[in-house]
Amino acid sequence: MYHVIKKMEIAGCHQLTLPYSSKCTRPHGHNWTITVYCKAKELDSNGMVVDFSEIKRRIHGYLDHGNLNELLPFNPTAENLAKWICDQIDTCWKVVVEESAGNIAIYEQDEEG
């Protein structure tokens, strides 16, 4: 099994929709640290699991310096963001989203995908 890991920082703002009082329901920003884990049993015709620049283009290129509420069709929690990122890359099986120091969400596909 081949594995690649791409780590990137994304600056972005969001506000959450919550059924309780929280400062997170107001617009605010983060410098998110995103780690994307990909794997494949066989390499593609270029000898890669996935091109690192393709991960950066799809994730960083789309989200960086954006308003996540405008870019994404769901409540942009760190958990939802991790799942969305994983779904963008065919070979991705795990994503770690660090919203701020010590606040981390992880999405990992189950064995069936």
Side-chain angles (χ1 to χ4, degrees), residues 21-56:
S21 179
S22 170
K23 65 183 180 179
C24 294
T25 60
R26 296 191 305 262
H28 62 284
H30 298 284
N31 289 324
W32 311 76
T33 301
I34 309 292
T35 308
V36 177
Y37 295 80
C38 299
K39 65 181 177 179
K41 289 183 181 180
E42 295 182 21
L43 300 177
D44 67 15
S45 61
N46 298 314
M48 300 177 185
V49 172
V50 61
D51 192 319
F52 290 117
S53 65
E54 182 65 9
I55 299 171
K56 184 175 180 179

Side-chain angles (χ1 to χ4, degrees), residues 10 32 34 59 63 68 72 74-87 95 97 107:
I10 295 170
W32 311 76
I34 309 292
I59 308 307
L63 297 175
L68 302 186
L72 302 170
F74 49 78
N75 194 26
T77 63
E79 296 88 343
N80 283 334
L81 182 58
K83 166 76 164 78
W84 179 85
I85 291 168
C86 193
D87 290 345
V95 174
V97 173
Y107 175 79

